Amino acid sequence: MTQLYQRVAFVGLGLIASSMALAMRRGGLVAETTGTARSAETRAIATEIALVDRVTDTAAQAVQGADLVVLCVPVGAMAAVAAEIAPHLARGATVTDVGSVKQAVNDAVGPHMPDHVHFIPGHPLAGTEHSGPRAGFAELFDNRWTILTPPDGTDADALDRLTRVWQGIGAQVDVMDPAHHDLVLAVTSHTPHLIAYTMVGVADDLRRVTDSEVIKYSAAGFRDFTRIAASDPTMWRDVFLTNKDATLEILGRFTEELFALQRAIRRGDGDHLHAYFTRTRAIRRGIIDAGQDTDAPDFGRSNR
Amino acid sequence: MTQLYQRVAFVGLGLIASSMALAMRRGGLVAETTGTARSAETRAIATEIALVDRVTDTAAQAVQGADLVVLCVPVGAMAAVAAEIAPHLARGATVTDVGSVKQAVNDAVGPHMPDHVHFIPGHPLAGTEHSGPRAGFAELFDNRWTILTPPDGTDADALDRLTRVWQGIGAQVDVMDPAHHDLVLAVTSHTPHLIAYTMVGVADDLRRVTDSEVIKYSAAGFRDFTRIAASDPTMWRDVFLTNKDATLEILGRFTEELFALQRAIRRGDGDHLHAYFTRTRAIRRGIIDAGQDTDAPDFGRSNR
Ligand SMILES: NC(=O)c1ccc[n+]([C@@H]2O[C@H](COP(=O)([O-])OP(=O)(O)OC[C@H]3O[C@@H](n4cnc5c(N)ncnc54)[C@H](OP(=O)(O)O)[C@@H]3O)[C@@H](O)[C@H]2O)c1
Ligand SMILES: NC(=O)c1ccc[n+]([C@@H]2O[C@H](COP(=O)([O-])OP(=O)(O)OC[C@H]3O[C@@H](n4cnc5c(N)ncnc54)[C@H](OP(=O)(O)O)[C@@H]3O)[C@@H](O)[C@H]2O)c1
């Protein structure tokens, strides 16, 4: 694989940045990597495990001379980081991000970007419930999708190079309008996470069922919810604050459907329930056919 | 391991029965197994793959001479099966079941049971989204819990023997009051399943986000919901119809909490969201510590 960039700078060195850095190294895709994080602790860990070639104290230092800059901080921190790095960006550099919301990042970062750089927001649809520089692994993006939301008039060569680096670290790339991205993600990720958090909160609240019972008997379905609900609170707070409209729209529909099912249970309307549960099976089949999951006979991932 | 029963009869030969039969064989726990299912097709498959030693055409035939009878049909079918087998049960036999709801099974089966048998309802907290006689595997119950809900005055020896057979096929056994079982399961299993079904239904309904987009981008959280929502519609219909009160209670609390989070999103109350998402992490940690899940860095189970 030829080297696509001479120097890649990561601002933020958490799960996503560390996975990208390891995957770029695996693929021999870039000549040099630099990076920084907010805390001295994270920077020290990154140095200790040699996550990037050079750890800098500030974002301004990290981006100097970089032809690719990747913003890997929570969505709510993007604007401040953009303002900080803007004066130090190299001419012709590409600036991208990995934030889970795209319209808000576009609005927060775009205005800070000088005309001489290419700003192409992005979002890898891959993650785990773990955070920080030690959480990364090179295979995170393999066979996963990354969505890029290039603004109108984006330079075709810059887009092509960024696409190839994502492909080089294992992902498939799609291009989408940021508003559509935010709606799709509200359905496939943001609302499911909110619901999982809510269900786990309910379980924790209930006096008549103890936490130890919830934990002991979690294999019956609840466990999958707790995995989702263990993700980083700051990241998810920012997602809901910045993808407010789409999340509220999907939540509204969710509540409507839930009320219909609740009424069917109350009335003992077994036909309604059976028809609903039959329809939802088809989507699962589609996911397995699309290679986005395996069909192994364990519920969750522990029976192996 | 000494043989605990001379002849075990399975009524219903789906996922749970086939897993039990394979696990009993693995452990050399019983001398002989018999079984039957509603359809000729399932009986033929069971014969073909030699799931039990003898497949019979009727439940009445299956239970004859058995010292352990395991009812492995959907909860809504338990009463009819109990009525059918009652006259044919051997003196001193133990009759148990594996239904996901316990008060309703107790009420449906109990009245049919002659005085000369021991009726001890049970529920293994293990399963997959797959059904039928080919779905079973001997490891299904390993390191999982089975809850028994013996009625007052249950014979201690009969309970002990049943406990040991569950332990012999890999499970840990707890004893509980049926009403408490139903509430615990409403929290850890039944409500999570209903919510997952609802979310998958919403995704399927939405015109502006296509099914193919939902499927393509499902790895971002939604996929775990589809796995839950792919389970057998008949089984789940029966669960909600027969565990109505506890499910509706938990659903009511869920809706309350969801509305509070929804309001926080609408108002931009990041502190409320952050505090909620921090609290729910603790439960996840407890599940991992309790050995009910692994801590491997994949979200779902496909990154391997
Ligand atoms: N986790 C996922 O599943 C996932 C998936 C796709 C996309 N994303 C997106 O990827 C981005 C990073 O997520 P992650 O999972 O890699 O997070 P993470 O592991 O928690 O790492 C976040 C990094 O951002 C830094 N940071 C946090 N707040 C900051 C602030 N206010 N100013 C400057 N730096 C700050 C942190 O520095 P310290 O370590 O010094 O605190 C850390 O290095 C987020 O925008 C998220 O939406 C996440
Ligand atoms: N699946 C799980 O995750 C899970 C976990 C714990 C407990 N359970 C409980 O275990 C029981 C069996 O579930 P399963 O997953 O093994 O189901 P399954 O794979 O769908 O098998 C059900 C069996 O019951 C038979 N059956 C269905 N309806 C019947 C009726 N009306 N009369 C007589 N027989 C009938 C079926 O016969 P045919 O094959 O001929 O149709 C089949 O052999 C249920 O009570 C369920 O609540 C399930």
Side-chain angles (χ1 to χ4, degrees):
Chain A
M1 185 57 91
T2 47
Q3 287 180 349
L4 293 163
Y5 294 97
Q6 284 309 306
R7 185 183 294 171
V8 178
F10 295 99
V11 182
L13 289 170
L15 167 70
I16 300 298
S18 58
S19 297
M20 287 182 78
L22 294 171
M24 284 178 180
R25 188 173 294 162
R26 175 186 71 175
L29 300 174
V30 304
E32 191 196 355
T33 53
T34 69
T36 191
R38 179 179 49 175
S39 68
E41 190 194 340
T42 297
R43 295 195 299 269
I45 294 170
T47 304
E48 182 198 327
I49 65 177
L51 196 55
V52 289
D53 298 323
R54 196 159 43 86
V55 175
T56 65
D57 285 343
T58 67
Q61 291 163 353
V63 305
Q64 259 154 35
D67 48 356
L68 178 65
V69 174
V70 191
L71 309 183
C72 300
V73 298
V75 172
M78 294 281 180
V81 165
E84 183 188 346
I85 61 171
H88 308 280
L89 292 168
R91 183 161 298 275
T94 291
V95 178
T96 188
D97 78 302
V98 298
S100 306
V101 178
K102 294 274 59 81
Q103 188 66 56
V105 168
N106 198 66
D107 298 350
V109 175
H112 294 288
M113 291 296 104
D115 286 343
H116 64 75
V117 307
H118 307 290
F119 173 49
I120 309 175
H123 178 205
L125 305 195
T128 75
E129 67 273 32
H130 302 287
S131 304
R134 294 189 198 274
F137 52 105
E139 301 76 23
L140 179 61
F141 309 108
D142 288 349
N143 196 29
R144 294 283 158 253
W145 288 93
T146 290
I147 297 175
L148 300 178
T149 61
D152 285 348
T154 293
D155 181 78
D157 287 346
L159 178 59
D160 180 58
R161 204 138 60 110
L162 185 61
T163 300
R164 280 189 287 138
V165 88
W166 275 112
Q167 290 167 341
I169 64 180
Q172 296 175 274
V173 175
D174 260 350
V175 165
M176 211 181 270
D177 170 64
H180 191 65
H181 166 278
D182 289 357
L183 181 65
V184 170
L185 269 288
V187 174
T188 56
S189 175
H190 305 168
T191 308
H193 273 81
L194 192 74
I195 289 165
Y197 274 119
T198 308
M199 188 65 227
V200 175
V202 168
D204 188 36
D205 252 8
L206 210 71
R207 293 273 156 68
R208 283 184 297 138
V209 177
T210 64
D211 275 6
S212 69
E213 284 176 320
V214 166
I215 288 168
K216 243 167 113 172
Y217 308 128
S218 63
F222 186 68
R223 188 180 60 201
D224 286 347
F225 280 58
T226 67
R227 187 174 313 124
I228 295 178
S231 309
D232 183 58
T234 303
M235 164 181 161
W236 283 102
R237 177 199 64 196
D238 286 1
V239 165
F240 296 118
L241 294 180
T242 57
N243 197 19
K244 189 190 274 208
D245 294 345
T247 306
L248 290 177
E249 178 188 338
I250 303 306
L251 265 182
R253 283 170 181 263
F254 173 83
T255 316
E256 240 176 65
E257 300 245 13
L258 187 64
F259 284 170
L261 287 170
Q262 195 170 340
R263 199 173 49 233
I265 293 173
R266 204 182 295 284
R267 292 184 178 168
D269 183 351
D271 292 344
H272 180 101
L273 296 172
H274 195 277
Y276 200 95
F277 300 162
T278 302
R279 185 162 67 84
T280 49
R281 282 191 126 171
I283 288 224
R284 173 71 187 161
R285 174 94 347 247
I287 287 175
I288 293 167
D289 292 347
Q292 292 293 309
D293 196 12
T294 62
D295 196 20
D298 62 328
F299 194 79
R301 46 178 177 177
S302 54
N303 276 316
R304 23 178 90 214
Chain B
M1 184 58 90
T2 47
Q3 287 182 347
L4 293 163
Y5 293 99
Q6 284 310 306
R7 184 184 293 172
V8 178
F10 295 98
V11 182
L13 289 170
L15 166 71
I16 301 296
S18 57
S19 297
M20 288 182 78
L22 294 171
M24 286 178 178
R25 186 174 297 163
R26 176 187 71 173
L29 300 174
V30 304
E32 190 195 356
T33 54
T34 68
T36 191
R38 179 181 47 176
S39 67
E41 189 194 343
T42 298
R43 296 195 299 269
I45 294 169
T47 305
E48 181 199 328
I49 64 177
L51 195 55
V52 289
D53 298 323
R54 197 158 43 84
V55 175
T56 65
D57 285 342
T58 68
Q61 291 164 350
V63 306
Q64 259 154 36
D67 47 357
L68 178 65
V69 174
V70 192
L71 309 183
C72 302
V73 299
V75 172
M78 294 280 182
V81 166
E84 183 187 347
I85 62 170
H88 309 279
L89 292 168
R91 183 161 298 275
T94 292
V95 177
T96 189
D97 79 302
V98 297
S100 306
V101 179
K102 295 274 59 82
Q103 189 65 57
V105 168
N106 198 65
D107 298 350
V109 175
H112 294 288
M113 291 297 104
D115 288 341
H116 65 75
V117 307
H118 308 290
F119 173 49
I120 309 175
H123 177 206
L125 305 196
T128 75
E129 67 273 31
H130 302 284
S131 304
R134 293 191 198 273
F137 52 105
E139 299 78 22
L140 179 63
F141 310 107
D142 287 349
N143 196 29
R144 295 282 158 253
W145 288 93
T146 290
I147 297 175
L148 299 178
T149 62
D152 286 346
T154 293
D155 181 78
D157 287 345
L159 178 59
D160 180 60
R161 204 140 56 111
L162 184 60
T163 300
R164 282 190 287 138
V165 88
W166 274 111
Q167 290 167 341
I169 63 179
Q172 296 175 275
V173 175
D174 261 351
V175 165
M176 212 181 268
D177 170 63
H180 190 66
H181 165 279
D182 289 356
L183 181 64
V184 170
L185 269 288
V187 175
T188 57
S189 175
H190 305 169
T191 309
H193 273 80
L194 193 73
I195 289 166
Y197 274 119
T198 307
M199 188 65 226
V200 175
V202 168
D204 188 35
D205 252 8
L206 210 70
R207 293 272 156 69
R208 283 185 298 137
V209 177
T210 63
D211 276 6
S212 68
E213 285 175 320
V214 166
I215 289 168
K216 242 166 117 173
Y217 308 127
S218 63
F222 185 70
R223 188 180 59 201
D224 286 347
F225 281 59
T226 66
R227 186 174 313 122
I228 295 178
S231 309
D232 183 58
T234 303
M235 164 181 163
W236 285 102
R237 177 200 63 197
D238 286 2
V239 164
F240 295 117
L241 294 179
T242 58
N243 197 18
K244 188 190 277 209
D245 294 344
T247 306
L248 290 177
E249 178 189 338
I250 303 307
L251 264 183
R253 284 169 180 264
F254 173 84
T255 315
E256 242 175 63
E257 301 246 13
L258 187 63
F259 284 170
L261 288 171
Q262 193 170 341
R263 199 173 48 233
I265 294 174
R266 203 182 295 283
R267 292 183 178 169
D269 184 351
D271 292 344
H272 180 102
L273 296 172
H274 195 276
Y276 200 96
F277 300 161
T278 303
R279 187 163 67 83
T280 49
R281 283 191 126 171
I283 288 223
R284 172 71 187 161
R285 174 97 344 251
I287 288 174
I288 292 167
D289 293 347
Q292 292 293 308
D293 196 11
T294 62
D295 197 19
D298 63 327
F299 194 79
R301 44 174 179 179
S302 54
N303 277 317
R304 22 179 89 214

